[in-house]
Amino acid sequence: MAAPSHRRSLRGRRTLAVAAAVVAAGAGAGVFVMTANADAVDLYHRSLPAKDGWAAAGTGTTGGAKADSAHTYTVTSRAQLVKALGSASDTAPRVIKVKGTIDANTDDSGKKLTCADYAAGTGYSLSAYLKAYDPATYGRSELPSGTQEKARAAAQDKQAKNIVFKVPADTTIVGVPGTGAGITGGSLQVKGVDNVIIRNLAFSATEDCFPQWDPTDGDDGNWNSAYDAVTLRGATHVWADHNTFTDAPHLDRANPKYFGREYQIHDGALDITNGSDLVTVERNRFTDHDKTMLIGSSDKDSTGKLRVSLHHNVWKGIVQRAPLARIGQIHVYDNVYDTTTVDGYAPLYSIDSRAKAQVVAEDNYWTVPSGGKVAKLLSGDGTGSVAGSGNLVNGTATDLVAAYNAASSKKIKATVNWTPTLTAGLETSAKNLPAELATSTGAGVLK
């Protein structure tokens, strides 16, 4: 990026003055929205502020802040996004400005692609798949194998090559304000790289055309899909800010059932797995989704990693995993959880601490409808911990762990082995969060 002028415009000086006043007042994370009205470079080349969650640790998270003009792109289509992301050999920092909504299920010319297009030439058909692996004849002891399972995998691979976008290190992807910026039907994959920023994007309709039947999953089997809207696998220093995640327009209640189980075409919204570390997720909106956020891919994921901060997010109309946390040190603060059933998405729990996860949950606000049970806001396997205070349920201070433990044989520990220090924006009272976050979270807020 070219060296900036030492002179500032009057507008710039006024913006800096306002930002300084806000910082002095201790408004913390609110600065992000206010200073976003500065010159465009401030939005597109912004770095994560100091002490703003785990992603601020060590070298911090700068994304594409150092991108030069040759690596600053404005994209409006899938093909342009693929080109902007570049190849593995091009390691220069980059900024990608997403203008409008990009449909991942299109070809390079912009033609709409359907599930039938991905299945073409593979030999897969849902009717043949259902006939081949009907538990009445195939049984329930083994995963599907054979001709139709190979065909399903081939069709799924064709879809993946089209809708999965691999994000390189030192990259910022940000939606252009006022354009309805987002990605529909796609999956951003941040795998094995460091220093990525994802901001101001609406993620919707990330759908797997070819879920796999697993008769061994649970007592009755399950249909399992691929593709999270955003997936972090072995990624470090990632900042996800002011994004919106939703299944819409195809909601789970429209899914059919096969073999007595829901044909689930959605996976995670934002999953953080395979030893990912130093992640801050803030001021996002999660709605109309089932398995929302997974931290740790299994009980054997990487010890000493999976350090994640979640703050000032809104979770409404989600069923579970807000988050499901394994192993790591996770700080959950100043979030709003509305456990009202929305669009058929009936909550099971909010936070699940398992596999010795060390969760600090403080100053969050839960809305629980009449008849809802506070004991069901948490979940665990008997090995996880949830510490913290200042959590409100319908405006009343509540000991979530005590409520859960009173109703469960698998107790959650109330002490952890660490103390959060990267807590920029921490508000010591959750009382006003529902009103505050109603207008300051999700895509479309930044200007």
PDB file of all heavy atoms in Angstrom, residues 75 81 96-102 172-176 179-183 188 197-204 230 241-246 284-285 442-446:
ATOM      1  N   VAL A  75     -14.999  -7.525  -6.242  1.00  0.00           N
ATOM      2  CA  VAL A  75     -15.559  -8.677  -6.941  1.00  0.00           C
ATOM      3  C   VAL A  75     -17.082  -8.657  -6.838  1.00  0.00           C
ATOM      4  O   VAL A  75     -17.649  -8.269  -5.812  1.00  0.00           O
ATOM      5  CB  VAL A  75     -15.005  -9.996  -6.380  1.00  0.00           C
ATOM      6  CG1 VAL A  75     -13.478 -10.039  -6.531  1.00  0.00           C
ATOM      7  CG2 VAL A  75     -15.370 -10.195  -4.918  1.00  0.00           C
ATOM      8  N   LEU A  81     -14.305 -13.742  -7.604  1.00  0.00           N
ATOM      9  CA  LEU A  81     -13.851 -14.078  -6.260  1.00  0.00           C
ATOM     10  C   LEU A  81     -12.748 -15.132  -6.321  1.00  0.00           C
ATOM     11  O   LEU A  81     -11.726 -15.006  -5.628  1.00  0.00           O
ATOM     12  CB  LEU A  81     -15.019 -14.584  -5.421  1.00  0.00           C
ATOM     13  CG  LEU A  81     -14.677 -15.071  -4.006  1.00  0.00           C
ATOM     14  CD1 LEU A  81     -14.009 -13.975  -3.191  1.00  0.00           C
ATOM     15  CD2 LEU A  81     -15.931 -15.594  -3.297  1.00  0.00           C
ATOM     16  N   ILE A  96     -10.025  -8.142  -0.517  1.00  0.00           N
ATOM     17  CA  ILE A  96     -11.082  -8.490  -1.463  1.00  0.00           C
ATOM     18  C   ILE A  96     -12.361  -7.821  -1.005  1.00  0.00           C
ATOM     19  O   ILE A  96     -12.889  -8.117   0.069  1.00  0.00           O
ATOM     20  CB  ILE A  96     -11.263 -10.007  -1.557  1.00  0.00           C
ATOM     21  CG1 ILE A  96      -9.961 -10.678  -2.004  1.00  0.00           C
ATOM     22  CG2 ILE A  96     -12.394 -10.352  -2.524  1.00  0.00           C
ATOM     23  CD1 ILE A  96      -9.999 -12.194  -1.981  1.00  0.00           C
ATOM     24  N   LYS A  97     -12.858  -6.889  -1.818  1.00  0.00           N
ATOM     25  CA  LYS A  97     -14.095  -6.180  -1.526  1.00  0.00           C
ATOM     26  C   LYS A  97     -15.234  -6.877  -2.272  1.00  0.00           C
ATOM     27  O   LYS A  97     -15.224  -6.926  -3.505  1.00  0.00           O
ATOM     28  CB  LYS A  97     -13.990  -4.724  -1.976  1.00  0.00           C
ATOM     29  CG  LYS A  97     -12.776  -3.978  -1.441  1.00  0.00           C
ATOM     30  CD  LYS A  97     -12.689  -2.576  -2.058  1.00  0.00           C
ATOM     31  CE  LYS A  97     -11.413  -1.862  -1.685  1.00  0.00           C
ATOM     32  NZ  LYS A  97     -11.340  -0.501  -2.299  1.00  0.00           N
ATOM     33  N   VAL A  98     -16.174  -7.403  -1.523  1.00  0.00           N
ATOM     34  CA  VAL A  98     -17.311  -8.094  -2.130  1.00  0.00           C
ATOM     35  C   VAL A  98     -18.450  -7.094  -2.312  1.00  0.00           C
ATOM     36  O   VAL A  98     -18.941  -6.512  -1.349  1.00  0.00           O
ATOM     37  CB  VAL A  98     -17.769  -9.274  -1.261  1.00  0.00           C
ATOM     38  CG1 VAL A  98     -19.009  -9.928  -1.860  1.00  0.00           C
ATOM     39  CG2 VAL A  98     -16.638 -10.293  -1.104  1.00  0.00           C
ATOM     40  N   LYS A  99     -18.847  -6.913  -3.552  1.00  0.00           N
ATOM     41  CA  LYS A  99     -19.911  -5.960  -3.881  1.00  0.00           C
ATOM     42  C   LYS A  99     -21.149  -6.724  -4.311  1.00  0.00           C
ATOM     43  O   LYS A  99     -21.150  -7.441  -5.312  1.00  0.00           O
ATOM     44  CB  LYS A  99     -19.448  -5.020  -5.001  1.00  0.00           C
ATOM     45  CG  LYS A  99     -20.405  -3.879  -5.299  1.00  0.00           C
ATOM     46  CD  LYS A  99     -19.814  -2.939  -6.336  1.00  0.00           C
ATOM     47  CE  LYS A  99     -20.728  -1.763  -6.613  1.00  0.00           C
ATOM     48  NZ  LYS A  99     -20.152  -0.846  -7.630  1.00  0.00           N
ATOM     49  N   GLY A 100     -22.221  -6.589  -3.535  1.00  0.00           N
ATOM     50  CA  GLY A 100     -23.434  -7.340  -3.836  1.00  0.00           C
ATOM     51  C   GLY A 100     -23.316  -8.777  -3.365  1.00  0.00           C
ATOM     52  O   GLY A 100     -22.379  -9.167  -2.685  1.00  0.00           O
ATOM     53  N   THR A 101     -24.287  -9.590  -3.745  1.00  0.00           N
ATOM     54  CA  THR A 101     -24.328 -10.990  -3.330  1.00  0.00           C
ATOM     55  C   THR A 101     -23.750 -11.888  -4.414  1.00  0.00           C
ATOM     56  O   THR A 101     -24.178 -11.838  -5.574  1.00  0.00           O
ATOM     57  CB  THR A 101     -25.771 -11.426  -3.027  1.00  0.00           C
ATOM     58  OG1 THR A 101     -26.300 -10.621  -1.976  1.00  0.00           O
ATOM     59  CG2 THR A 101     -25.812 -12.885  -2.607  1.00  0.00           C
ATOM     60  N   ILE A 102     -22.785 -12.702  -4.029  1.00  0.00           N
ATOM     61  CA  ILE A 102     -22.159 -13.654  -4.948  1.00  0.00           C
ATOM     62  C   ILE A 102     -22.821 -15.018  -4.777  1.00  0.00           C
ATOM     63  O   ILE A 102     -22.894 -15.551  -3.667  1.00  0.00           O
ATOM     64  CB  ILE A 102     -20.653 -13.753  -4.671  1.00  0.00           C
ATOM     65  CG1 ILE A 102     -19.965 -12.448  -5.079  1.00  0.00           C
ATOM     66  CG2 ILE A 102     -20.040 -14.942  -5.412  1.00  0.00           C
ATOM     67  CD1 ILE A 102     -18.482 -12.408  -4.769  1.00  0.00           C
ATOM     68  N   THR A 172      -7.873 -10.020   3.757  1.00  0.00           N
ATOM     69  CA  THR A 172      -9.098  -9.423   4.276  1.00  0.00           C
ATOM     70  C   THR A 172     -10.181  -9.558   3.219  1.00  0.00           C
ATOM     71  O   THR A 172      -9.982  -9.169   2.067  1.00  0.00           O
ATOM     72  CB  THR A 172      -8.902  -7.936   4.614  1.00  0.00           C
ATOM     73  OG1 THR A 172      -8.014  -7.813   5.733  1.00  0.00           O
ATOM     74  CG2 THR A 172     -10.224  -7.281   4.970  1.00  0.00           C
ATOM     75  N   ILE A 173     -11.323 -10.123   3.615  1.00  0.00           N
ATOM     76  CA  ILE A 173     -12.498 -10.182   2.753  1.00  0.00           C
ATOM     77  C   ILE A 173     -13.589  -9.386   3.445  1.00  0.00           C
ATOM     78  O   ILE A 173     -13.970  -9.688   4.580  1.00  0.00           O
ATOM     79  CB  ILE A 173     -12.966 -11.623   2.516  1.00  0.00           C
ATOM     80  CG1 ILE A 173     -11.820 -12.481   1.964  1.00  0.00           C
ATOM     81  CG2 ILE A 173     -14.149 -11.656   1.563  1.00  0.00           C
ATOM     82  CD1 ILE A 173     -12.193 -13.937   1.769  1.00  0.00           C
ATOM     83  N   VAL A 174     -14.084  -8.353   2.789  1.00  0.00           N
ATOM     84  CA  VAL A 174     -15.034  -7.460   3.444  1.00  0.00           C
ATOM     85  C   VAL A 174     -16.118  -7.028   2.459  1.00  0.00           C
ATOM     86  O   VAL A 174     -15.850  -6.797   1.275  1.00  0.00           O
ATOM     87  CB  VAL A 174     -14.297  -6.225   4.029  1.00  0.00           C
ATOM     88  CG1 VAL A 174     -13.562  -5.458   2.970  1.00  0.00           C
ATOM     89  CG2 VAL A 174     -15.251  -5.320   4.786  1.00  0.00           C
ATOM     90  N   GLY A 175     -17.340  -6.970   2.945  1.00  0.00           N
ATOM     91  CA  GLY A 175     -18.443  -6.548   2.101  1.00  0.00           C
ATOM     92  C   GLY A 175     -18.469  -5.047   1.917  1.00  0.00           C
ATOM     93  O   GLY A 175     -18.233  -4.285   2.860  1.00  0.00           O
ATOM     94  N   VAL A 176     -18.745  -4.608   0.701  1.00  0.00           N
ATOM     95  CA  VAL A 176     -18.841  -3.180   0.405  1.00  0.00           C
ATOM     96  C   VAL A 176     -20.147  -2.652   1.004  1.00  0.00           C
ATOM     97  O   VAL A 176     -21.232  -3.157   0.687  1.00  0.00           O
ATOM     98  CB  VAL A 176     -18.806  -2.927  -1.115  1.00  0.00           C
ATOM     99  CG1 VAL A 176     -19.000  -1.439  -1.408  1.00  0.00           C
ATOM    100  CG2 VAL A 176     -17.484  -3.423  -1.705  1.00  0.00           C
ATOM    101  N   THR A 179     -24.298  -2.408  -0.380  1.00  0.00           N
ATOM    102  CA  THR A 179     -24.507  -3.215  -1.583  1.00  0.00           C
ATOM    103  C   THR A 179     -25.184  -4.548  -1.289  1.00  0.00           C
ATOM    104  O   THR A 179     -25.356  -5.357  -2.192  1.00  0.00           O
ATOM    105  CB  THR A 179     -23.174  -3.486  -2.300  1.00  0.00           C
ATOM    106  OG1 THR A 179     -22.360  -4.354  -1.499  1.00  0.00           O
ATOM    107  CG2 THR A 179     -22.431  -2.184  -2.572  1.00  0.00           C
ATOM    108  N   GLY A 180     -25.562  -4.790  -0.036  1.00  0.00           N
ATOM    109  CA  GLY A 180     -26.116  -6.093   0.308  1.00  0.00           C
ATOM    110  C   GLY A 180     -25.090  -7.189   0.127  1.00  0.00           C
ATOM    111  O   GLY A 180     -25.416  -8.285  -0.346  1.00  0.00           O
ATOM    112  N   ALA A 181     -23.859  -6.933   0.527  1.00  0.00           N
ATOM    113  CA  ALA A 181     -22.743  -7.833   0.247  1.00  0.00           C
ATOM    114  C   ALA A 181     -22.876  -9.160   0.986  1.00  0.00           C
ATOM    115  O   ALA A 181     -23.247  -9.205   2.162  1.00  0.00           O
ATOM    116  CB  ALA A 181     -21.422  -7.159   0.625  1.00  0.00           C
ATOM    117  N   GLY A 182     -22.569 -10.229   0.272  1.00  0.00           N
ATOM    118  CA  GLY A 182     -22.601 -11.536   0.894  1.00  0.00           C
ATOM    119  C   GLY A 182     -22.290 -12.641  -0.079  1.00  0.00           C
ATOM    120  O   GLY A 182     -22.016 -12.408  -1.266  1.00  0.00           O
ATOM    121  N   ILE A 183     -22.331 -13.861   0.430  1.00  0.00           N
ATOM    122  CA  ILE A 183     -22.104 -15.059  -0.370  1.00  0.00           C
ATOM    123  C   ILE A 183     -23.245 -16.021  -0.079  1.00  0.00           C
ATOM    124  O   ILE A 183     -23.505 -16.357   1.081  1.00  0.00           O
ATOM    125  CB  ILE A 183     -20.762 -15.719  -0.033  1.00  0.00           C
ATOM    126  CG1 ILE A 183     -19.604 -14.768  -0.356  1.00  0.00           C
ATOM    127  CG2 ILE A 183     -20.595 -17.030  -0.794  1.00  0.00           C
ATOM    128  CD1 ILE A 183     -18.239 -15.273   0.085  1.00  0.00           C
ATOM    129  N   LEU A 188     -16.523 -20.405   2.750  1.00  0.00           N
ATOM    130  CA  LEU A 188     -15.160 -19.885   2.855  1.00  0.00           C
ATOM    131  C   LEU A 188     -14.351 -20.850   3.714  1.00  0.00           C
ATOM    132  O   LEU A 188     -14.716 -21.114   4.867  1.00  0.00           O
ATOM    133  CB  LEU A 188     -15.141 -18.499   3.488  1.00  0.00           C
ATOM    134  CG  LEU A 188     -15.687 -17.321   2.685  1.00  0.00           C
ATOM    135  CD1 LEU A 188     -15.458 -16.022   3.445  1.00  0.00           C
ATOM    136  CD2 LEU A 188     -15.037 -17.236   1.309  1.00  0.00           C
ATOM    137  N   ILE A 197      -9.034 -11.856   7.908  1.00  0.00           N
ATOM    138  CA  ILE A 197     -10.146 -11.043   8.400  1.00  0.00           C
ATOM    139  C   ILE A 197     -11.346 -11.212   7.476  1.00  0.00           C
ATOM    140  O   ILE A 197     -11.212 -11.106   6.250  1.00  0.00           O
ATOM    141  CB  ILE A 197      -9.753  -9.555   8.487  1.00  0.00           C
ATOM    142  CG1 ILE A 197      -8.651  -9.357   9.539  1.00  0.00           C
ATOM    143  CG2 ILE A 197     -10.960  -8.684   8.801  1.00  0.00           C
ATOM    144  CD1 ILE A 197      -8.074  -7.953   9.561  1.00  0.00           C
ATOM    145  N   ILE A 198     -12.523 -11.467   8.071  1.00  0.00           N
ATOM    146  CA  ILE A 198     -13.773 -11.631   7.316  1.00  0.00           C
ATOM    147  C   ILE A 198     -14.809 -10.726   7.961  1.00  0.00           C
ATOM    148  O   ILE A 198     -15.194 -10.931   9.118  1.00  0.00           O
ATOM    149  CB  ILE A 198     -14.249 -13.094   7.341  1.00  0.00           C
ATOM    150  CG1 ILE A 198     -13.175 -14.018   6.755  1.00  0.00           C
ATOM    151  CG2 ILE A 198     -15.565 -13.245   6.582  1.00  0.00           C
ATOM    152  CD1 ILE A 198     -13.436 -15.499   7.004  1.00  0.00           C
ATOM    153  N   ARG A 199     -15.310  -9.720   7.200  1.00  0.00           N
ATOM    154  CA  ARG A 199     -16.176  -8.715   7.795  1.00  0.00           C
ATOM    155  C   ARG A 199     -17.327  -8.317   6.862  1.00  0.00           C
ATOM    156  O   ARG A 199     -17.183  -8.331   5.637  1.00  0.00           O
ATOM    157  CB  ARG A 199     -15.384  -7.447   8.138  1.00  0.00           C
ATOM    158  CG  ARG A 199     -14.181  -7.656   9.027  1.00  0.00           C
ATOM    159  CD  ARG A 199     -13.537  -6.323   9.386  1.00  0.00           C
ATOM    160  NE  ARG A 199     -14.323  -5.585  10.376  1.00  0.00           N
ATOM    161  CZ  ARG A 199     -14.194  -4.280  10.598  1.00  0.00           C
ATOM    162  NH1 ARG A 199     -13.355  -3.543   9.872  1.00  0.00           N
ATOM    163  NH2 ARG A 199     -14.918  -3.697  11.530  1.00  0.00           N
ATOM    164  N   ASN A 200     -18.431  -7.956   7.469  1.00  0.00           N
ATOM    165  CA  ASN A 200     -19.539  -7.288   6.772  1.00  0.00           C
ATOM    166  C   ASN A 200     -20.120  -8.106   5.628  1.00  0.00           C
ATOM    167  O   ASN A 200     -20.478  -7.564   4.582  1.00  0.00           O
ATOM    168  CB  ASN A 200     -19.091  -5.914   6.257  1.00  0.00           C
ATOM    169  CG  ASN A 200     -20.256  -4.966   6.055  1.00  0.00           C
ATOM    170  OD1 ASN A 200     -21.191  -4.937   6.850  1.00  0.00           O
ATOM    171  ND2 ASN A 200     -20.208  -4.176   4.987  1.00  0.00           N
ATOM    172  N   LEU A 201     -20.247  -9.409   5.830  1.00  0.00           N
ATOM    173  CA  LEU A 201     -20.789 -10.288   4.798  1.00  0.00           C
ATOM    174  C   LEU A 201     -21.991 -11.070   5.326  1.00  0.00           C
ATOM    175  O   LEU A 201     -21.999 -11.510   6.476  1.00  0.00           O
ATOM    176  CB  LEU A 201     -19.723 -11.281   4.316  1.00  0.00           C
ATOM    177  CG  LEU A 201     -18.545 -10.692   3.538  1.00  0.00           C
ATOM    178  CD1 LEU A 201     -17.468 -11.746   3.337  1.00  0.00           C
ATOM    179  CD2 LEU A 201     -19.008 -10.139   2.200  1.00  0.00           C
ATOM    180  N   ALA A 202     -22.988 -11.263   4.473  1.00  0.00           N
ATOM    181  CA  ALA A 202     -24.144 -12.094   4.789  1.00  0.00           C
ATOM    182  C   ALA A 202     -23.953 -13.455   4.135  1.00  0.00           C
ATOM    183  O   ALA A 202     -23.837 -13.553   2.911  1.00  0.00           O
ATOM    184  CB  ALA A 202     -25.425 -11.441   4.282  1.00  0.00           C
ATOM    185  N   PHE A 203     -23.900 -14.498   4.951  1.00  0.00           N
ATOM    186  CA  PHE A 203     -23.741 -15.864   4.453  1.00  0.00           C
ATOM    187  C   PHE A 203     -25.086 -16.566   4.549  1.00  0.00           C
ATOM    188  O   PHE A 203     -25.697 -16.619   5.623  1.00  0.00           O
ATOM    189  CB  PHE A 203     -22.704 -16.620   5.282  1.00  0.00           C
ATOM    190  CG  PHE A 203     -21.308 -16.078   5.159  1.00  0.00           C
ATOM    191  CD1 PHE A 203     -20.826 -15.149   6.058  1.00  0.00           C
ATOM    192  CD2 PHE A 203     -20.480 -16.495   4.125  1.00  0.00           C
ATOM    193  CE1 PHE A 203     -19.542 -14.635   5.950  1.00  0.00           C
ATOM    194  CE2 PHE A 203     -19.195 -15.990   3.994  1.00  0.00           C
ATOM    195  CZ  PHE A 203     -18.718 -15.064   4.910  1.00  0.00           C
ATOM    196  N   SER A 204     -25.531 -17.114   3.429  1.00  0.00           N
ATOM    197  CA  SER A 204     -26.844 -17.760   3.407  1.00  0.00           C
ATOM    198  C   SER A 204     -26.814 -19.001   2.530  1.00  0.00           C
ATOM    199  O   SER A 204     -25.956 -19.149   1.652  1.00  0.00           O
ATOM    200  CB  SER A 204     -27.907 -16.784   2.872  1.00  0.00           C
ATOM    201  OG  SER A 204     -27.617 -16.404   1.538  1.00  0.00           O
ATOM    202  N   VAL A 230     -18.567 -20.671   6.931  1.00  0.00           N
ATOM    203  CA  VAL A 230     -17.155 -20.340   7.124  1.00  0.00           C
ATOM    204  C   VAL A 230     -16.551 -21.465   7.953  1.00  0.00           C
ATOM    205  O   VAL A 230     -17.088 -21.812   9.011  1.00  0.00           O
ATOM    206  CB  VAL A 230     -16.963 -18.995   7.852  1.00  0.00           C
ATOM    207  CG1 VAL A 230     -15.480 -18.734   8.120  1.00  0.00           C
ATOM    208  CG2 VAL A 230     -17.556 -17.853   7.031  1.00  0.00           C
ATOM    209  N   ASP A 241     -16.058 -10.561  11.916  1.00  0.00           N
ATOM    210  CA  ASP A 241     -16.699  -9.406  12.530  1.00  0.00           C
ATOM    211  C   ASP A 241     -17.851  -8.888  11.670  1.00  0.00           C
ATOM    212  O   ASP A 241     -17.725  -8.751  10.452  1.00  0.00           O
ATOM    213  CB  ASP A 241     -15.643  -8.306  12.704  1.00  0.00           C
ATOM    214  CG  ASP A 241     -16.239  -6.964  13.086  1.00  0.00           C
ATOM    215  OD1 ASP A 241     -16.915  -6.885  14.125  1.00  0.00           O
ATOM    216  OD2 ASP A 241     -16.036  -5.983  12.331  1.00  0.00           O
ATOM    217  N   HIS A 242     -18.986  -8.606  12.316  1.00  0.00           N
ATOM    218  CA  HIS A 242     -20.134  -7.994  11.642  1.00  0.00           C
ATOM    219  C   HIS A 242     -20.603  -8.796  10.416  1.00  0.00           C
ATOM    220  O   HIS A 242     -20.846  -8.241   9.345  1.00  0.00           O
ATOM    221  CB  HIS A 242     -19.804  -6.557  11.220  1.00  0.00           C
ATOM    222  CG  HIS A 242     -19.935  -5.567  12.329  1.00  0.00           C
ATOM    223  ND1 HIS A 242     -18.865  -5.150  13.079  1.00  0.00           N
ATOM    224  CD2 HIS A 242     -21.019  -4.910  12.823  1.00  0.00           C
ATOM    225  CE1 HIS A 242     -19.278  -4.261  13.987  1.00  0.00           C
ATOM    226  NE2 HIS A 242     -20.580  -4.114  13.862  1.00  0.00           N
ATOM    227  N   ASN A 243     -20.729 -10.113  10.594  1.00  0.00           N
ATOM    228  CA  ASN A 243     -21.293 -10.963   9.546  1.00  0.00           C
ATOM    229  C   ASN A 243     -22.646 -11.499   9.997  1.00  0.00           C
ATOM    230  O   ASN A 243     -22.977 -11.495  11.184  1.00  0.00           O
ATOM    231  CB  ASN A 243     -20.349 -12.127   9.243  1.00  0.00           C
ATOM    232  CG  ASN A 243     -18.971 -11.672   8.831  1.00  0.00           C
ATOM    233  OD1 ASN A 243     -18.797 -11.054   7.782  1.00  0.00           O
ATOM    234  ND2 ASN A 243     -17.973 -11.951   9.655  1.00  0.00           N
ATOM    235  N   THR A 244     -23.431 -11.966   9.028  1.00  0.00           N
ATOM    236  CA  THR A 244     -24.718 -12.584   9.311  1.00  0.00           C
ATOM    237  C   THR A 244     -24.720 -13.990   8.736  1.00  0.00           C
ATOM    238  O   THR A 244     -24.261 -14.204   7.602  1.00  0.00           O
ATOM    239  CB  THR A 244     -25.870 -11.771   8.697  1.00  0.00           C
ATOM    240  OG1 THR A 244     -25.907 -10.473   9.305  1.00  0.00           O
ATOM    241  CG2 THR A 244     -27.208 -12.456   8.905  1.00  0.00           C
ATOM    242  N   PHE A 245     -25.242 -14.940   9.506  1.00  0.00           N
ATOM    243  CA  PHE A 245     -25.288 -16.339   9.079  1.00  0.00           C
ATOM    244  C   PHE A 245     -26.724 -16.847   9.173  1.00  0.00           C
ATOM    245  O   PHE A 245     -27.373 -16.715  10.213  1.00  0.00           O
ATOM    246  CB  PHE A 245     -24.394 -17.198   9.977  1.00  0.00           C
ATOM    247  CG  PHE A 245     -22.931 -16.848   9.936  1.00  0.00           C
ATOM    248  CD1 PHE A 245     -22.431 -15.831  10.729  1.00  0.00           C
ATOM    249  CD2 PHE A 245     -22.057 -17.530   9.105  1.00  0.00           C
ATOM    250  CE1 PHE A 245     -21.083 -15.495  10.705  1.00  0.00           C
ATOM    251  CE2 PHE A 245     -20.710 -17.204   9.063  1.00  0.00           C
ATOM    252  CZ  PHE A 245     -20.217 -16.183   9.864  1.00  0.00           C
ATOM    253  N   THR A 246     -27.218 -17.447   8.091  1.00  0.00           N
ATOM    254  CA  THR A 246     -28.582 -17.974   8.080  1.00  0.00           C
ATOM    255  C   THR A 246     -28.722 -19.083   7.046  1.00  0.00           C
ATOM    256  O   THR A 246     -28.020 -19.095   6.026  1.00  0.00           O
ATOM    257  CB  THR A 246     -29.600 -16.862   7.765  1.00  0.00           C
ATOM    258  OG1 THR A 246     -30.919 -17.419   7.715  1.00  0.00           O
ATOM    259  CG2 THR A 246     -29.315 -16.200   6.425  1.00  0.00           C
ATOM    260  N   ASN A 284     -21.455 -10.538  15.256  1.00  0.00           N
ATOM    261  CA  ASN A 284     -22.116 -11.282  14.197  1.00  0.00           C
ATOM    262  C   ASN A 284     -23.537 -11.634  14.629  1.00  0.00           C
ATOM    263  O   ASN A 284     -23.869 -11.608  15.814  1.00  0.00           O
ATOM    264  CB  ASN A 284     -21.348 -12.574  13.899  1.00  0.00           C
ATOM    265  CG  ASN A 284     -19.915 -12.312  13.492  1.00  0.00           C
ATOM    266  OD1 ASN A 284     -19.625 -11.972  12.358  1.00  0.00           O
ATOM    267  ND2 ASN A 284     -18.992 -12.462  14.437  1.00  0.00           N
ATOM    268  N   ARG A 285     -24.359 -11.992  13.645  1.00  0.00           N
ATOM    269  CA  ARG A 285     -25.714 -12.465  13.915  1.00  0.00           C
ATOM    270  C   ARG A 285     -25.852 -13.882  13.385  1.00  0.00           C
ATOM    271  O   ARG A 285     -25.580 -14.142  12.206  1.00  0.00           O
ATOM    272  CB  ARG A 285     -26.768 -11.564  13.271  1.00  0.00           C
ATOM    273  CG  ARG A 285     -26.788 -10.140  13.803  1.00  0.00           C
ATOM    274  CD  ARG A 285     -27.957  -9.333  13.250  1.00  0.00           C
ATOM    275  NE  ARG A 285     -29.215  -9.822  13.781  1.00  0.00           N
ATOM    276  CZ  ARG A 285     -29.761  -9.401  14.932  1.00  0.00           C
ATOM    277  NH1 ARG A 285     -29.141  -8.497  15.672  1.00  0.00           N
ATOM    278  NH2 ARG A 285     -30.924  -9.879  15.341  1.00  0.00           N
ATOM    279  N   GLY A 442     -24.111  -7.813  12.877  1.00  0.00           N
ATOM    280  CA  GLY A 442     -24.450  -8.400  11.588  1.00  0.00           C
ATOM    281  C   GLY A 442     -23.974  -7.606  10.404  1.00  0.00           C
ATOM    282  O   GLY A 442     -23.415  -6.507  10.534  1.00  0.00           O
ATOM    283  N   ALA A 443     -24.155  -8.177   9.222  1.00  0.00           N
ATOM    284  CA  ALA A 443     -23.760  -7.518   7.976  1.00  0.00           C
ATOM    285  C   ALA A 443     -24.641  -6.306   7.716  1.00  0.00           C
ATOM    286  O   ALA A 443     -25.803  -6.250   8.128  1.00  0.00           O
ATOM    287  CB  ALA A 443     -23.884  -8.497   6.815  1.00  0.00           C
ATOM    288  N   GLY A 444     -24.060  -5.307   7.055  1.00  0.00           N
ATOM    289  CA  GLY A 444     -24.805  -4.119   6.681  1.00  0.00           C
ATOM    290  C   GLY A 444     -24.725  -2.993   7.667  1.00  0.00           C
ATOM    291  O   GLY A 444     -25.263  -1.897   7.397  1.00  0.00           O
ATOM    292  N   VAL A 445     -24.082  -3.205   8.817  1.00  0.00           N
ATOM    293  CA  VAL A 445     -23.967  -2.168   9.832  1.00  0.00           C
ATOM    294  C   VAL A 445     -22.799  -1.238   9.521  1.00  0.00           C
ATOM    295  O   VAL A 445     -22.903  -0.013   9.647  1.00  0.00           O
ATOM    296  CB  VAL A 445     -23.814  -2.786  11.234  1.00  0.00           C
ATOM    297  CG1 VAL A 445     -23.489  -1.713  12.268  1.00  0.00           C
ATOM    298  CG2 VAL A 445     -25.075  -3.533  11.627  1.00  0.00           C
ATOM    299  N   LEU A 446     -21.676  -1.811   9.121  1.00  0.00           N
ATOM    300  CA  LEU A 446     -20.500  -0.995   8.842  1.00  0.00           C
ATOM    301  C   LEU A 446     -20.751  -0.096   7.637  1.00  0.00           C
ATOM    302  O   LEU A 446     -21.384  -0.513   6.664  1.00  0.00           O
ATOM    303  CB  LEU A 446     -19.284  -1.897   8.579  1.00  0.00           C
ATOM    304  CG  LEU A 446     -18.851  -2.785   9.738  1.00  0.00           C
ATOM    305  CD1 LEU A 446     -17.685  -3.677   9.327  1.00  0.00           C
ATOM    306  CD2 LEU A 446     -18.493  -1.961  10.956  1.00  0.00           C
TER     307      LEU A 446
END
